[in-house]
């Protein structure tokens, strides 16, 4: 039976029990994986260029002359020594690769065109040819990992990085796009781009006069250089990137803000050292402002980043609190999008996992009314996160803070959620109720609390749970009834206890940790 004074080893097993805030917070980080899986398509890893744009350069074929080539002619043209034929063949291949449905990426790769296109990237006398080759390689790299590998193994990374210094803006931008697709494939190619010294060249391109579409591409590529773990980007790369990301956070364009925030969310998705690098860069005040954005593509990644940060140390969480996150998170519990409510509840549950002075700050920012509202009326996926917040709050709170929690009206929705079809959540609620009852006993208020629980229909629900098909729930419910509502134990209760004791294994609280 959970107690307020559980032994240390017992407390450390349960995800939210006791005062070890750093442990509770680390264990809560498991939830972030589930959240990320649900959001994995919110930022595009790779993009194909399907626009009908072409350079107007001298070696371009005469206007009005349409060039139509079959695959054999493309192969012959690409391997020609005539720059005009090379251009025509490469442009035709690029157009094939730019069609919206079923682009023939595999066909072009198997035709052996990649090595020759990589050579064209080096043709500084023919920027239009460079552009078409970079565009074609961009679209090939937007495909599967195998197709991206074909571009990398064709030797494209270094020539593309060299094109970042091209005087032709369109060529330069297309090279940025291609590198973004390569980096977005995964940590292996991301690190290949980084090790070839791409970051300084990319950062050198950022300027106030840069066309907005170009800056968007740069920001997106930088975000892909922050993406993926196992391993994370190297420390030297992160140190190079953070000042630029802070600068991009000051922009007003929503796409740039979105990708800059996603980049920071990737960098904070890890150990406390990683989180500390981002916090020390001074991004939190701006992130708090962006959390008030009406645009979902900005709000979502800024909230995600802040949620990651408060999984860190108490000190890192305090920096977030000092930056004003508690001005915004309670409001986001009332957002019209359940996905935002869920992430806000997750972030608040990690604040509640901290020491009692963090819990006091939650109270100071009046977080309990919107929390109770979500527990009553939110979608179940949001209610689950809210239950975790209550659990963290209850098990880390002082007696006075627990009293305020009870007075907020939290027991009514918790009792109603005892019928939820989720074993984990029901067990947590039973543990919270037990915790509150034991606190009330210490304050000599147990009788009035028991009456309140009875008025809310709690006793009936807890008694019904004694017969739950899950033995852990049955035992937890029986323990509450025996300890707090069973002063005159009858024969049937004794028999039920004996039945539940048969082959019963005590609750392994580690199994309650969210996956």
């Amino acid at each position: 039976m959970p107690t307020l004074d559980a032994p240390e080893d017992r407390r450390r097993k349960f995800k939210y029990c006791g005062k070890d805030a750093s442990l509770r917070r680390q264990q809560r980080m498991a939830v972030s994986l589930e959240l990320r899986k649900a959001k994995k398509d919110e930022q595009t890893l790779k993009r194909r260029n399907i626009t009908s744009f072409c350079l107007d350069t001298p070696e371009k074929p005469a206007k009005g002359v349409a060039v139509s080539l079959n695959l054999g002619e493309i192969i012959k043209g690409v391997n020609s020594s005539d720059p005009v034929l090379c251009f025509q063949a490469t442009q035709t291949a690029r157009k094939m690769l730019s069609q919206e449905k079923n682009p023939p990426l595999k066909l072009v790769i198997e035709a052996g065109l990649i090595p020759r296109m990589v050579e064209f990237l080096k043709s500084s006398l023919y920027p239009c040819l460079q552009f078409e080759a970079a565009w074609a390689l961009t679209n090939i790299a937007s495909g599967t990992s195998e197709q991206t590998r074909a571009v990398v193994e064709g030797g494209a990374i270094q020539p593309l990085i060299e094109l970042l210094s091209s005087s032709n803006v369109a060529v330069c931008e297309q090279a940025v796009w291609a590198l973004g697709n390569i980096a977005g494939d995964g940590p292996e190619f991301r690190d290949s781009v980084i090790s070839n010294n791409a970051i300084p060249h990319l950062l050198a391109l950022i300027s106030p006069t840069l066309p907005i579409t170009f800056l968007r591409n740069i920001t997106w590529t930088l975000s892909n250089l922050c993406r993926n773990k196992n391993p994370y980007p190297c420390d030297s790369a992160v140190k190079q990137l953070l000042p630029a990301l802070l600068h991009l956070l000051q922009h007003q364009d929503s796409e740039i803000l979105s990708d800059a925030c996603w980049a920071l969310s990737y960098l904070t998705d890890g150990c406390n050292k990683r989180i500390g690098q981002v916090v020390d860069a001074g991004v939190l005040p701006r992130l708090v402002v962006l959390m008030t954005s009406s645009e979902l593509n900005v709000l979502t990644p800024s909230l995600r980043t802040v949620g990651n940060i408060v999984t860190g140390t108490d000190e890192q969480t305090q920096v977030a609190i000092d930056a004003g996150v508690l001005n915004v998170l309670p409001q986001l519990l009332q957002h019209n999008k359940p996905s935002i409510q869920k992430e806000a509840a997750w972030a608040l549950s990690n604040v509640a996992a901290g020491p009692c002075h963090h819990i006091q700050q939650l109270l100071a920012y009046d977080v309990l009314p919107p929390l109770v509202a979500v527990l009553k009326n939110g979608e179940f996926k949001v209610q689950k996160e809210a239950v975790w917040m209550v659990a963290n709050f209850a098990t880390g709170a002082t007696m006075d803070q627990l009293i305020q929690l009870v007075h907020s009206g939290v027991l009514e929705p918790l009792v109603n959620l005892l019928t939820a079809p989720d074993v984990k959540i029901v067990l947590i609620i039973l543990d919270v109720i037990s915790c509150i009852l034991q606190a009330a006993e210490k304050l000599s208020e147990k009788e009035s609390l028991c009456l309140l629980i009875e008025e809310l229909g709690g006793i009936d629900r807890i008694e019904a749970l004694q017969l739950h098909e899950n033995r852990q729930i049955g035992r937890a419910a029986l323990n509450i009834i025996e300890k707090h509502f069973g002063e005159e134990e009858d024969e049937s209760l004794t028999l039920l206890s004996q039945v539940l004791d048969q082959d019963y294994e005590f609750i392994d609280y580690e199994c309650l940790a969210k996956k």
Side-chain angles (χ1 to χ4, degrees):
M1 190 69 190
T3 66
L4 292 179
D5 301 310
E8 180 65 19
D9 61 335
R10 164 70 177 80
R11 285 194 287 115
R12 290 173 69 89
K13 284 182 180 178
F14 198 28
K15 194 163 192 176
Y16 54 80
C17 273
K19 304 289 184 177
D20 190 342
S22 62
L23 239 163
R24 294 204 308 276
R25 198 172 276 130
Q26 287 168 18
Q27 291 168 328
R28 280 290 288 150
M29 285 175 67
V31 186
S32 68
L33 177 61
E34 178 185 321
L35 290 166
R36 267 174 208 87
K37 284 179 179 176
K39 302 276 188 180
K40 64 183 177 182
D41 295 324
E42 289 210 16
Q43 198 212 22
T44 311
L45 287 106
K46 299 179 182 180
R47 303 183 302 187
R48 209 156 46 88
N49 188 350
I50 58 174
T51 56
S52 300
F53 172 75
C54 200
L55 284 171
D56 188 13
T57 51
E59 75 276 11
K60 182 179 174 181
K63 290 183 179 179
V65 178
V67 179
S68 178
L69 306 173
N70 60 36
L71 183 60
E73 290 168 331
I74 290 172
I75 295 171
K76 184 178 178 181
V78 163
N79 289 292
S80 170
S81 59
D82 183 346
V84 174
L85 293 178
C86 290
F87 170 81
Q88 291 174 348
T90 304
Q91 185 182 62
T92 304
R94 182 270 299 167
K95 288 179 178 178
M96 292 169 58
L97 295 168
S98 300
Q99 63 191 45
E100 288 199 48
K101 292 185 179 179
N102 304 315
L105 305 184
K106 184 178 179 183
L107 189 67
V108 170
I109 293 169
E110 290 175 347
L113 299 182
I114 288 178
R116 190 70 174 140
M117 288 179 175
V118 170
E119 285 301 310
F120 295 158
L121 297 177
K122 306 169 188 176
S123 302
S124 57
L125 294 177
Y126 306 100
C128 192
L129 180 57
Q130 288 178 309
F131 175 74
E132 291 291 349
W135 189 344
L137 292 169
T138 296
N139 286 357
I140 296 171
S142 74
T144 64
S145 289
E146 182 183 357
Q147 290 162 346
T148 305
R149 182 174 294 279
V151 173
V152 174
E153 292 181 349
I157 290 179
Q158 190 56 48
L160 286 168
I161 292 172
E162 289 173 6
L163 286 183
L164 299 180
S165 302
S166 172
S167 58
N168 189 297
V169 173
V171 169
C172 186
E173 181 174 359
Q174 196 60 56
V176 169
W177 194 333
L179 289 167
N181 277 347
I182 292 169
D185 184 76
E188 179 187 355
F189 295 154
R190 175 206 66 201
D191 289 346
S192 295
V193 173
I194 290 172
S195 64
N196 278 277
N197 207 35
I199 293 175
H201 291 87
L202 288 165
L203 300 184
L205 294 171
I206 300 174
S207 76
T209 59
L210 202 65
I212 191 69
T213 55
F214 195 169
L215 188 58
R216 287 171 181 165
N217 266 331
I218 292 171
T219 309
W220 172 75
T221 296
L222 294 178
S223 75
N224 274 356
L225 291 173
C226 298
R227 196 171 193 145
N228 291 304
K229 5 184 224 190
N230 301 320
Y232 285 96
C234 62
D235 278 353
S236 60
V238 173
K239 288 174 183 175
Q240 287 177 296
L241 289 164
L242 279 172
L245 293 173
L246 178 58
H247 170 75
L248 291 166
L249 278 187
Q250 314 309 315
H251 210 281
Q252 298 304 310
D253 181 75
S254 65
E255 288 187 38
I256 290 171
L257 290 172
S258 179
D259 284 329
C261 288
W262 278 117
L264 292 170
S265 79
Y266 306 143
L267 295 179
T268 51
D269 177 22
C271 64
N272 294 344
K273 179 186 174 184
R274 296 274 171 184
I275 293 170
Q277 288 178 306
V278 175
V279 170
D280 292 344
V283 300
L284 269 166
R286 180 61 176 160
L287 286 172
V288 170
V289 172
L290 296 178
M291 285 167 60
T292 65
S293 174
S294 60
E295 299 187 67
L296 206 60
N297 69 328
V298 176
L299 168 56
T300 300
S302 58
L303 174 57
R304 173 72 56 78
T305 305
V306 168
N308 287 346
I309 288 171
V310 296
T311 65
T313 65
D314 290 343
E315 292 74 23
Q316 290 162 348
T317 301
Q318 187 61 54
V319 175
I321 293 171
D322 292 341
V325 296
L326 294 184
N327 282 317
V328 184
L329 286 173
Q331 298 173 30
L332 295 180
L333 281 179
Q334 304 167 72
H335 197 274
N336 59 1
K337 291 282 186 181
S339 60
I340 297 298
Q341 296 174 2
K342 181 180 179 181
E343 293 224 15
W346 171 64
L348 286 166
S349 75
N350 279 313
V351 176
C356 57
H357 66 267
H358 285 173
I359 292 173
Q360 191 59 41
Q361 287 171 294
L362 289 172
L363 292 170
Y365 282 93
D366 207 23
V367 74
L368 293 182
L371 173 67
V372 172
V374 161
L375 284 167
K376 285 182 177 179
N377 305 312
E379 289 189 8
F380 184 58
K381 65 180 182 180
V382 183
Q383 291 176 319
K384 287 167 67 174
E385 293 301 324
V387 167
W388 281 101
M389 182 187 168
V390 173
N392 281 351
F393 186 111
T395 54
T398 64
M399 288 294 185
D400 286 343
Q401 291 166 345
L402 266 180
I403 290 169
Q404 291 184 67
L405 178 65
V406 173
H407 286 171
S408 73
V410 76
L411 280 173
E412 180 182 355
L414 286 182
V415 165
N416 291 336
L417 284 168
L418 285 173
T419 59
D422 188 307
V423 168
K424 214 180 291 183
I425 292 302
V426 172
L427 281 167
I428 292 168
I429 293 172
L430 289 172
D431 199 75
V432 169
I433 291 172
S434 176
C435 177
I436 292 172
L437 281 165
Q438 290 176 69
E441 190 169 29
K442 291 184 178 182
L443 295 169
S444 301
E445 294 288 343
K446 178 177 166 181
E447 185 177 351
S448 58
L449 183 63
C450 288
L451 286 172
L452 172 61
I453 292 172
E454 184 175 14
E455 289 171 7
L456 296 172
I459 296 179
D460 290 341
R461 283 187 167 89
I462 295 169
E463 285 181 337
L465 288 175
Q466 294 174 110
L467 299 174
H468 196 281
E469 61 183 9
N470 182 279
R471 286 183 175 273
Q472 296 174 351
I473 288 177
R475 168 56 63 185
L478 176 61
N479 284 342
I480 290 174
I481 296 297
E482 283 183 337
K483 184 171 178 60
H484 301 290
F485 299 97
E487 292 181 3
E488 296 180 2
E489 184 175 323
D490 58 25
E491 185 178 340
S492 63
L493 196 60
T494 304
L495 180 60
L496 178 61
S497 179
Q498 291 170 351
V499 170
L500 285 168
D501 279 338
Q502 290 176 1
D503 301 321
Y504 179 76
E505 292 182 6
F506 191 74
I507 298 174
D508 178 3
Y509 284 98
E510 288 180 337
C511 79
L512 298 183
K514 288 193 175 182
K515 303 297 181 187

